[in-house]
Amino acid sequence: MNSVICASIVSYMVWTQANLTARTDSYAADENDEIHETVASCVSPRRARQMGRTISGFRSNRNGRSHALAVVALFCVLPGWYKLPEHSCRYLDRLLFVHRIFTSSPACTELEPIVLDWLAKAIGLPKIFIYDGKGPGCGVIQGSASEATIMTLLAARTKTLRKLEVKYPGQSQHMLLSKLVAYTSEYSHSSVERACLVAMVKLNKVLVDENIAMRGAALKAAMDKDRKDGMIPFYVCATLGTTDCASFDNIAEIGQVCDDEVWLHVDAAYAGGSFICPEYRHFMEGVEMVTSFNFNPSKSLMVNFDFSALWVKNSVDLINSFKVDPVFLRHDNQATTIDYRHWQLPLGRRFRSLKLWFVMRIFGLENMRKRIREDAQHAKTFEKLVRTDDRFEICFPVHLGLVCFRLVLAGECDNEKINKINQDLLNRIVDSKDIYIVGSRVRQRFHLRLVTGSVGCDEKAVKFAWKTIQRHACSVLRENK
Ligand SMILES: Cc1ncc(COP(=O)(O)O)c(C=O)c1O
């Protein structure tokens, strides 16, 4: 079976490479023609005509308005990838999706730890996270960074509760649960807060330093205080590349504070992809101390959504938390193979490892690095443009593809007034539909965020974005004189 699948992959790849130069639009059109025909052959003529109209509406929309949406969306929350080689593996992925247990698609299980080992090595994760055919360290593909946080938080919760039940026999699980505290920085992603809501555990938001980084001392102070109050620290989520301003928590210090009783998870959803370039790896110094590490190749490494890579040092922690083994899912290879159904919430899963397989095989690491560096270069270009205009300021150091900036008003000290003008500027930019960016607020100061790295983002697009922003800045400032 594996050889049949491999043969399909290889022949498909040859086909894909032959088509690599084709434009995305033509794929979209072909695909819609295909949908059109399929629909027409399956339903009554009247219904087919109705649906046909809907589909052609979608097509014309896609070539007009929706295409514009793709263009204006260039600089928004974080980069996303929707182009080749998704088309390479889209059909294979669907074809082979029926995967619930190892036996239903051995290749789906077998390829996943292999490509995640490649990726772990590519970003410089320590050996302890590499599966290498035996574990216990290993990677698993989750749908999103939010899911990775929820999975690790729930696993940490279960692990801690089991220990506490032994330590405090007779105490109810409800009472023990009410003592658990998770920690994260004030500026971590909202998904951490949400994970705590799902797990029904208290979340303590740790104050950050002047670089918007969570540091060891502040975390320790928060934990010490909670311990004094009878609470039990059990989980820390540190962020590498915050959504607000791409700041980096200090993993080397935080790792020292987290003992064996505390699960340290790293959410590097956005910035993790940049670690394929050695020059960015200093941001993850201390990573050998973390329990789990996650990032989204779908944000910066040209892998199509959905794809979030999660590595754990000890996969047994995940399996022990989520293993439920009904008779109808048992199979002969249970003792010798990975059963990813115990590593995630859904049972069925798609052959998502193919997406990474194609990206790494088609582009290669050097081209992937080149893209990360180009994104950073485009951000630097934008930063330089902003710095030439003294009506603006750059709010945070620009390390990757995110530039945070805002209008400053000469002689104006009222922060709320400056915030309002920047919000007004953002509204006008978004309303213009020429470009799409979003804003954020750090330490009561509202700023605008421009993110490079989406499909089609080049120097010309960055210059266009800057001209658009300047144009609207002129009108905002004129009206607020
Ligand atoms: C730091 C960080 N964590 C988590 C997330 C959530 O990612 P996902 O959509 O994969 O859940 C984001 C997305 O913006 C992010 O920037």
Side-chain angles (χ1 to χ4, degrees):
M1 185 175 182
N2 280 357
S3 53
V4 173
I5 290 167
C6 284
S8 324
I9 291 173
V10 171
S11 55
Y12 209 84
M13 211 182 99
V14 171
W15 178 88
T16 305
Q17 279 179 326
N19 285 281
L20 254 179
T21 47
R23 293 185 56 218
T24 318
D25 314 19
S26 59
Y27 279 96
D30 292 351
E31 189 190 314
N32 279 321
D33 288 343
E34 208 176 280
I35 298 170
H36 203 293
E37 276 163 27
T38 313
V39 169
S41 65
C42 294
V43 295
S44 74
R46 199 176 130 263
R47 184 86 184 106
R49 269 196 303 280
Q50 266 175 6
M51 291 175 82
R53 272 199 296 275
T54 312
I55 290 169
S56 14
F58 170 71
R59 276 182 68 177
S60 54
N61 228 6
R62 193 175 170 119
N63 293 335
R65 174 100 184 105
S66 306
H67 179 66
L69 257 184
V71 173
V72 297
L74 278 175
F75 308 103
C76 58
V77 187
L78 289 168
W81 196 260
Y82 63 88
K83 217 176 169 185
L84 285 167
E86 165 74 343
H87 299 283
S88 327
C89 55
R90 178 181 286 175
Y91 298 108
L92 260 180
D93 177 9
R94 304 270 152 91
L95 210 73
L96 302 171
F97 88 101
V98 194
H99 176 64
R100 293 194 171 85
I101 53 174
F102 175 79
T103 344
S104 60
S105 177
C108 179
T109 298
E110 286 169 358
L111 191 63
E112 191 157 328
I114 292 172
V115 294
L116 288 174
D117 274 3
W118 293 353
L119 191 60
K121 288 176 192 166
I123 62 166
L125 276 188
K127 260 196 179 142
I128 187 103
F129 290 100
I130 310 265
Y131 179 62
D132 204 12
K134 52 191 184 303
C138 191
V140 53
I141 302 169
Q142 302 282 335
S144 67
S146 308
E147 281 170 63
T149 305
I150 289 180
M151 292 306 286
T152 53
L153 183 83
L154 291 175
R157 190 187 74 163
T158 304
K159 194 178 167 188
T160 309
L161 283 177
R162 283 187 184 148
K163 279 189 194 164
L164 291 176
E165 277 162 5
V166 174
K167 196 169 167 189
Y168 303 107
Q171 295 282 8
S172 72
Q173 209 181 57
H174 176 258
M175 205 284 286
L176 294 172
L177 185 64
S178 71
K179 298 279 174 203
L180 299 188
V181 197
Y183 298 81
T184 196
S185 106
E186 300 170 80
Y187 293 101
S188 66
H189 191 262
S190 52
S191 51
V192 183
E193 194 167 335
R194 199 190 254 185
C196 290
L197 287 176
V198 172
M200 295 203 296
V201 293
K202 185 172 176 261
L203 177 65
N204 194 341
K205 291 200 175 176
V206 179
L207 296 179
V208 293
D209 71 1
E210 65 284 3
N211 297 316
I212 321 298
M214 180 163 68
R215 304 287 299 271
L219 175 64
K220 185 169 181 313
M223 282 182 170
D224 286 349
K225 184 177 176 307
D226 284 341
R227 284 194 176 107
K228 245 191 211 156
D229 295 342
M231 303 299 283
I232 302 166
F234 80 107
Y235 180 87
V236 174
C237 179
T239 312
L240 295 181
T242 56
T243 319
D244 292 297
C245 58
S247 61
F248 294 82
D249 289 342
N250 190 321
I251 305 296
E253 288 180 6
I254 293 169
Q256 299 286 348
V257 174
C258 299
D259 55 22
D260 284 351
E261 307 302 309
V262 178
W263 183 304
L264 173 54
H265 175 66
V266 168
D267 171 7
Y270 162 59
S274 62
F275 301 143
I276 61 165
C277 302
E279 65 269 29
Y280 292 115
R281 289 196 196 141
H282 62 95
F283 286 122
M284 62 169 182
E285 197 189 318
V287 70
E288 66 285 353
M289 288 183 276
V290 316
T291 322
S292 51
F293 183 96
N294 166 248
F295 86 95
N296 285 2
S298 58
K299 284 201 165 87
S300 50
L301 289 188
M302 300 185 281
V303 176
N304 269 69
F305 185 83
D306 54 346
F307 194 117
S308 190
L310 168 69
W311 289 270
V312 283
K313 258 185 191 164
N314 189 358
S315 50
V316 176
D317 290 336
L318 277 186
I319 298 162
N320 279 351
S321 302
F322 303 108
K323 188 167 181 177
V324 179
D325 213 11
V327 174
F328 54 82
L329 291 177
R330 289 191 193 145
H331 58 92
D332 292 344
N333 308 87
Q334 273 186 203
T336 50
T337 60
I338 294 177
D339 239 335
Y340 277 123
R341 69 189 156 110
H342 303 309
W343 302 46
Q344 59 174 25
L345 289 182
L347 169 62
R349 60 204 327 259
R350 289 188 292 119
F351 203 155
R352 285 184 290 211
S353 53
L354 274 180
K355 299 197 225 184
L356 182 61
W357 192 88
F358 272 99
V359 167
M360 294 186 87
R361 297 301 291 251
I362 289 174
F363 292 105
L365 273 183
E366 263 323 304
N367 282 318
M368 291 163 80
R369 289 193 186 107
K370 196 168 150 227
R371 246 199 71 84
I372 294 282
R373 289 175 181 137
E374 275 171 10
D375 293 347
Q377 190 50 49
H378 294 143
K380 284 282 171 204
T381 302
F382 184 77
E383 181 191 7
K384 266 191 208 146
L385 290 170
V386 176
R387 287 194 191 280
T388 58
D389 187 335
D390 57 13
R391 297 171 302 171
F392 286 88
E393 68 174 356
I394 294 288
C395 308
F396 300 101
V398 179
H399 299 296
L400 303 171
L402 171 66
V403 187
C404 301
F405 63 101
R406 69 181 212 148
L407 271 174
V408 281
L409 306 179
E412 180 57 69
C413 302
D414 182 348
N415 186 44
E416 274 318 308
K417 188 166 176 203
I418 302 176
N419 284 350
K420 206 175 145 295
I421 285 178
N422 278 286
Q423 179 70 65
D424 191 8
L425 172 60
L426 176 67
N427 294 347
R428 285 171 197 232
I429 292 168
V430 173
D431 286 349
S432 77
K433 299 185 175 60
D434 288 332
I435 61 166
Y436 183 52
I437 59 176
V438 300
S440 189
R441 197 183 261 256
V442 172
R443 298 219 149 117
Q444 313 307 326
R445 284 156 56 97
F446 181 85
H447 63 262
L448 287 74
R449 301 162 74 266
L450 182 130
V451 181
T452 59
S454 291
V455 178
C457 179
D458 55 15
E459 192 145 324
K460 201 169 142 204
V462 165
K463 285 183 177 157
F464 171 74
W466 174 236
K467 281 268 161 270
T468 307
I469 292 163
Q470 274 189 316
R471 195 175 71 242
H472 292 293
C474 286
S475 61
V476 169
L477 289 174
R478 208 170 29 245
E479 285 166 31
N480 281 279
K481 249 189 188 160

